[in-house]
Amino acid sequence: MQEVYERPKVEMQRDMDLIRDLLVNIAEDSRFDGTRWFSPNKADDFGVTNHSVEEVAYHLTLLIEAEYLDGKAGMGVPAISRLTWDGHEFLDNIRDTSVWEKTKERLQGIPGVALSVVAAIAEAEIKKRLGLTP
């Protein structure tokens, strides 16, 4: 008889603040140096205290799919090894709290935005601060 494995169904909405928090926490954690794989048993394994482990796992999977994290996603909780080049690039554009707040301010009133748009707005904000745009 074939066994069927099911993941618990959890309704999720993409949370850009959680995505930023995960990227910041992973970048600052020396465990994520690419030499091993790490899966969360609880949300605070990734420095997150205001979300469930299911929410963290869902967002880690999204970051793997977006190729911002080197990881393995499948059944259960994903395993993470490190940030990718694109993950570092995106994080560098949103790491500064004031840039992140300005980015979110510009997105207010828009119900859903692609991660690439968030990245473009953050990059535009940085260019503006550096005087690279008129």
Side-chain angles (χ1 to χ4, degrees), residues 13-14 16 107 109-115 117-118:
Q13 293 289 324
R14 192 167 50 177
M16 293 299 179
L107 293 170
I110 302 172
V113 178
L115 195 54
V117 173
V118 175

Side-chain angles (χ1 to χ4, degrees), residues 23-125:
L23 290 173
V24 167
N25 294 339
I26 291 168
E28 293 175 354
D29 190 328
S30 62
R31 294 177 294 180
F32 300 103
D33 62 0
T35 62
R36 64 195 134 209
W37 298 91
F38 187 75
S39 294
N41 292 317
K42 52 193 182 307
D44 68 359
D45 286 344
F46 284 88
V48 176
T49 58
N50 55 343
H51 293 277
S52 70
V53 70
E54 292 84 9
E55 289 173 301
V56 169
Y58 178 78
H59 285 78
L60 290 172
T61 299
L62 291 177
L63 289 166
I64 292 167
E65 292 171 350
E67 298 181 353
Y68 284 7
L69 293 177
D70 184 15
K72 298 175 183 179
M75 297 301 286
V77 179
I80 307 303
S81 179
R82 64 179 183 82
L83 266 72
T84 63
W85 180 268
D86 287 340
H88 280 286
E89 291 286 299
F90 179 62
L91 178 58
D92 285 346
N93 285 339
I94 64 169
R95 184 185 304 267
D96 181 89
T97 305
S98 62
V99 170
W100 180 240
E101 292 302 322
K102 190 69 167 176
T103 300
K104 290 190 323 182
E105 183 181 303
R106 290 179 63 183
L107 293 170
Q108 276 185 327
I110 302 172
V113 178
L115 195 54
S116 60
V117 173
V118 175
I121 291 171
E123 183 177 341
E125 182 61 30

